[in-house]
Coordinates of all heavy atoms in Angstrom, one line a residue:
M20 N 1.3 -5.9 10.1 CA 0.0 -5.3 9.9 C 0.0 -4.5 8.6 O 1.1 -4.1 8.2 CB -0.4 -4.5 11.1 CG 0.2 -3.1 11.1 SD -0.4 -2.1 12.4 CE 1.2 -1.8 13.2
Y21 N -1.1 -4.3 8.0 CA -1.2 -3.5 6.8 C -1.5 -2.1 7.2 O -2.2 -1.8 8.1 CB -2.3 -4.0 5.9 CG -2.0 -5.3 5.2 CD1 -2.6 -6.5 5.6 CD2 -1.1 -5.3 4.1 CE1 -2.3 -7.7 5.0 CE2 -0.8 -6.5 3.5 CZ -1.4 -7.7 3.9 OH -1.1 -8.8 3.3
I22 N -0.9 -1.1 6.4 CA -1.2 0.3 6.6 C -1.7 0.8 5.2 O -1.3 0.2 4.2 CB -0.1 1.2 7.1 CG1 1.1 1.1 6.1 CG2 0.3 0.8 8.5 CD1 2.2 2.1 6.4
F23 N -2.5 1.8 5.2 CA -3.1 2.3 4.0 C -2.7 3.8 3.8 O -2.8 4.5 4.8 CB -4.6 2.1 4.0 CG -5.1 0.7 4.0 CD1 -5.2 0.1 5.2 CD2 -5.3 0.0 2.9 CE1 -5.6 -1.3 5.3 CE2 -5.7 -1.3 2.9 CZ -5.9 -1.9 4.1
R24 N -2.3 4.2 2.7 CA -1.9 5.5 2.4 C -2.5 6.0 1.1 O -2.6 5.2 0.1 CB -0.4 5.7 2.3 CG 0.3 5.4 3.5 CD 0.1 6.6 4.5 NE 0.9 6.3 5.7 CZ 0.4 6.1 6.9 NH1 -0.9 6.0 7.0 NH2 1.1 5.9 8.0
A25 N -2.9 7.3 1.0 CA -3.5 7.8 -0.2 C -2.5 8.1 -1.2 O -2.9 8.4 -2.4 CB -4.4 9.1 0.2
W26 N -1.2 8.1 -0.9 CA -0.2 8.4 -1.9 C 1.1 7.6 -1.5 O 1.2 7.0 -0.4 CB 0.2 9.9 -1.9 CG 0.9 10.3 -0.7 CD1 2.2 10.3 -0.4 CD2 0.3 10.9 0.5 NE1 2.5 10.8 0.9 CE2 1.3 11.2 1.4 CE3 -1.0 11.3 0.8 CZ2 1.0 11.8 2.6 CZ3 -1.3 11.8 2.0 CH2 -0.3 12.1 2.9
V27 N 2.0 7.5 -2.5 CA 3.2 6.8 -2.3 C 4.3 7.7 -3.0 O 4.0 8.3 -4.1 CB 3.2 5.4 -2.8 CG1 3.0 5.3 -4.3 CG2 4.5 4.7 -2.5
T28 N 5.5 7.8 -2.5 CA 6.5 8.6 -3.1 C 7.5 7.6 -3.7 O 8.1 6.8 -3.0 CB 7.2 9.5 -2.1 OG1 6.2 10.3 -1.5 CG2 8.3 10.4 -2.8
I29 N 7.7 7.7 -5.0 CA 8.7 6.9 -5.7 C 9.6 7.8 -6.5 O 9.2 8.6 -7.3 CB 8.0 5.9 -6.7 CG1 7.1 5.0 -5.9 CG2 9.0 5.1 -7.5 CD1 6.2 4.1 -6.7
N30 N 10.9 7.6 -6.3 CA 12.0 8.5 -6.9 C 11.7 10.0 -6.8 O 11.9 10.7 -7.7 CB 12.1 8.1 -8.4 CG 12.6 6.7 -8.6 OD1 13.3 6.2 -7.8 ND2 12.2 6.1 -9.7
G31 N 11.2 10.4 -5.6 CA 10.9 11.8 -5.3 C 9.6 12.3 -6.0 O 9.3 13.5 -5.8
Q32 N 8.9 11.4 -6.6 CA 7.6 11.8 -7.2 C 6.5 11.2 -6.5 O 6.4 10.0 -6.2 CB 7.6 11.4 -8.7 CG 6.4 11.9 -9.4 CD 6.4 11.5 -10.9 OE1 7.2 10.7 -11.3 NE2 5.5 12.0 -11.6
R33 N 5.5 12.0 -6.1 CA 4.4 11.6 -5.3 C 3.3 11.1 -6.3 O 2.9 11.8 -7.2 CB 3.8 12.7 -4.4 CG 2.8 12.2 -3.5 CD 2.4 13.2 -2.5 NE 3.3 13.1 -1.3 CZ 3.2 13.7 -0.2 NH1 2.1 14.5 0.0 NH2 4.0 13.6 0.8
I34 N 2.8 9.8 -6.0 CA 1.8 9.2 -6.9 C 0.6 9.0 -6.0 O 0.6 8.4 -4.9 CB 2.3 7.8 -7.4 CG1 3.5 8.1 -8.3 CG2 1.2 7.1 -8.2 CD1 4.2 6.8 -8.7
Y35 N -0.6 9.5 -6.5 CA -1.8 9.5 -5.7 C -2.7 8.3 -6.1 O -2.8 8.0 -7.3 CB -2.6 10.8 -5.9 CG -1.9 11.9 -5.2 CD1 -1.0 12.8 -5.9 CD2 -2.1 12.2 -3.9 CE1 -0.4 13.8 -5.3 CE2 -1.5 13.3 -3.3 CZ -0.6 14.1 -4.0 OH 0.0 15.1 -3.4
A36 N -3.3 7.6 -5.2 CA -4.1 6.4 -5.4 C -5.3 6.8 -6.3 O -5.8 6.0 -7.1 CB -4.6 5.8 -4.1
K37 N -5.9 8.0 -6.1 CA -7.1 8.4 -6.8 C -6.8 8.4 -8.3 O -7.7 8.3 -9.1 CB -7.6 9.7 -6.3 CG -6.7 10.9 -6.6 CD -7.3 12.2 -6.0 CE -6.3 13.3 -6.2 NZ -6.8 14.5 -5.6
D38 N -5.5 8.7 -8.7 CA -5.2 8.7 -10.2 C -5.3 7.3 -10.8 O -5.3 7.1 -12.0 CB -3.8 9.2 -10.4 CG -3.7 10.7 -10.0 OD1 -4.7 11.4 -10.0 OD2 -2.6 11.1 -9.7
Y39 N -5.3 6.2 -9.9 CA -5.4 4.9 -10.4 C -6.8 4.2 -10.0 O -6.9 3.0 -10.0 CB -4.3 4.0 -9.8 CG -2.9 4.5 -10.3 CD1 -2.2 5.5 -9.7 CD2 -2.4 3.9 -11.5 CE1 -1.0 5.9 -10.3 CE2 -1.2 4.2 -12.0 CZ -0.5 5.3 -11.4 OH 0.7 5.7 -11.9
G40 N -7.8 5.1 -9.6 CA -9.1 4.6 -9.3 C -9.2 3.9 -8.0 O -10.1 3.1 -7.8
K41 N -8.3 4.2 -7.1 CA -8.2 3.6 -5.7 C -8.4 4.7 -4.7 O -8.2 5.8 -4.9 CB -6.9 2.9 -5.5 CG -6.7 1.7 -6.5 CD -5.3 1.1 -6.2 CE -5.0 -0.1 -7.1 NZ -5.6 -1.3 -6.5
K42 N -8.8 4.2 -3.5 CA -8.9 5.1 -2.4 C -7.5 5.2 -1.6 O -7.1 6.2 -1.1 CB -9.9 4.7 -1.3 CG -11.3 4.9 -1.8 CD -12.3 4.5 -0.7 CE -13.4 5.4 -0.7 NZ -14.3 5.1 0.4
A43 N -6.8 4.1 -1.7 CA -5.5 4.0 -0.9 C -4.6 2.9 -1.5 O -5.1 2.0 -2.1 CB -5.7 3.9 0.5
F44 N -3.3 3.0 -1.2 CA -2.4 1.9 -1.5 C -2.2 1.1 -0.2 O -2.2 1.7 0.9 CB -1.0 2.4 -1.9 CG -1.1 3.1 -3.3 CD1 -0.9 4.5 -3.4 CD2 -1.3 2.4 -4.4 CE1 -0.9 5.1 -4.6 CE2 -1.4 3.0 -5.7 CZ -1.1 4.3 -5.8
R45 N -2.0 -0.2 -0.2 CA -1.8 -1.0 0.9 C -0.4 -1.5 1.0 O 0.2 -1.9 0.1 CB -2.8 -2.2 0.8 CG -2.7 -3.2 2.0 CD -3.7 -4.3 1.9 NE -3.2 -5.3 1.0 CZ -3.7 -6.5 0.9 NH1 -4.7 -6.9 1.6 NH2 -3.2 -7.4 0.0
F46 N 0.2 -1.3 2.2 CA 1.6 -1.7 2.5 C 1.6 -2.6 3.7 O 0.9 -2.4 4.7 CB 2.5 -0.5 2.8 CG 2.5 0.5 1.6 CD1 1.6 1.6 1.6 CD2 3.3 0.3 0.6 CE1 1.7 2.5 0.6 CE2 3.4 1.2 -0.4 CZ 2.5 2.3 -0.4
W47 N 2.5 -3.6 3.7 CA 2.8 -4.5 4.8 C 3.9 -3.9 5.6 O 5.0 -3.5 5.1 CB 3.2 -5.9 4.4 CG 3.5 -6.7 5.5 CD1 4.8 -7.1 5.9 CD2 2.7 -7.3 6.5 NE1 4.8 -7.9 7.0 CE2 3.5 -8.0 7.4 CE3 1.3 -7.3 6.7 CZ2 2.9 -8.7 8.5 CZ3 0.8 -8.0 7.7 CH2 1.6 -8.7 8.6
V48 N 3.7 -3.7 6.9 CA 4.7 -3.2 7.9 C 4.7 -4.2 9.1 O 3.7 -4.4 9.7 CB 4.3 -1.8 8.3 CG1 5.3 -1.3 9.3 CG2 4.3 -0.9 7.2
G49 N 5.9 -4.7 9.4 CA 6.1 -5.5 10.5 C 7.3 -6.3 10.5 O 8.0 -6.4 9.4
P50 N 7.7 -6.9 11.6 CA 9.0 -7.6 11.6 C 8.9 -9.0 10.9 O 9.9 -9.4 10.4 CB 9.2 -7.9 13.1 CG 7.9 -7.8 13.7 CD 7.1 -6.8 12.9
E51 N 7.8 -9.6 10.8 CA 7.7 -10.9 10.1 C 7.3 -10.6 8.7 O 6.8 -9.6 8.3 CB 6.7 -11.8 10.8 CG 5.3 -11.3 11.0 CD 5.1 -10.4 12.3 OE1 5.9 -10.5 13.2 OE2 4.2 -9.6 12.3
P52 N 7.5 -11.6 7.8 CA 7.1 -11.5 6.4 C 5.6 -11.3 6.2 O 4.8 -11.7 7.1 CB 7.6 -12.8 5.7 CG 8.0 -13.7 6.8 CD 8.1 -12.9 8.1
E53 N 5.2 -10.8 5.1 CA 3.8 -10.6 4.7 C 3.1 -11.9 4.7 O 3.6 -12.9 4.1 CB 3.7 -9.9 3.4 CG 2.3 -9.6 3.0 CD 2.3 -8.8 1.7 OE1 3.3 -8.5 1.1 OE2 1.1 -8.5 1.3
P54 N 1.9 -12.0 5.3 CA 1.2 -13.3 5.3 C 0.8 -13.7 3.9 O 0.4 -12.8 3.1 CB 0.0 -13.1 6.2 CG -0.1 -11.6 6.3 CD 1.2 -11.0 6.0
K55 N 0.7 -15.0 3.6 CA 0.3 -15.4 2.3 C -1.2 -15.4 2.2 O -1.9 -15.5 3.2 CB 0.8 -16.8 2.0 CG 2.3 -16.9 2.0 CD 2.7 -18.2 1.5 CE 4.3 -18.2 1.5 NZ 4.8 -19.0 0.5
A56 N -1.8 -15.2 1.0 CA -3.2 -15.2 0.8 C -3.8 -16.5 1.0 O -3.2 -17.6 0.7 CB -3.5 -14.7 -0.6
K57 N -5.0 -16.5 1.7 CA -5.6 -17.8 1.9 C -6.4 -18.3 0.7 O -7.0 -17.5 0.0 CB -6.7 -17.6 3.1 CG -6.0 -17.2 4.4 CD -7.1 -17.1 5.5 CE -6.4 -16.7 6.8 NZ -7.4 -16.4 7.8
N58 N -6.3 -19.6 0.4 CA -7.1 -20.1 -0.7 C -8.5 -20.5 -0.2 O -8.6 -21.5 0.5 CB -6.3 -21.3 -1.2 CG -5.0 -21.0 -1.9 OD1 -4.9 -19.8 -2.4 ND2 -4.1 -21.8 -1.9
T59 N -9.5 -19.8 -0.6 CA -10.8 -20.1 -0.2 C -11.7 -20.5 -1.4 O -11.4 -20.2 -2.5 CB -11.5 -18.9 0.5 OG1 -11.4 -17.8 -0.3 CG2 -10.7 -18.6 1.8

């Protein structure tokens, strides 16, 4: 499943999505690999 967070911490530095014009960053969390995008 995907989870959404307003920030991400990389190398001890917190990066906020709003600084990149986004509301949140999307991350895949789960035991199986991330699903592939559907071609529509």
Side-chain angles (χ1 to χ4, degrees):
M20 83 176 120
Y21 287 105
I22 60 169
F23 297 87
R24 294 286 184 249
W26 69 85
V27 62
T28 303
I29 299 176
N30 294 331
Q32 184 177 10
R33 189 170 272 192
I34 298 171
Y35 292 93
K37 65 182 178 182
D38 294 337
Y39 292 88
K41 298 177 177 273
K42 286 182 146 184
F44 294 113
R45 181 176 78 163
F46 300 96
W47 174 256
V48 177
E51 56 275 339
E53 182 175 1
K55 296 188 181 215
K57 295 180 182 177
N58 293 333
T59 57

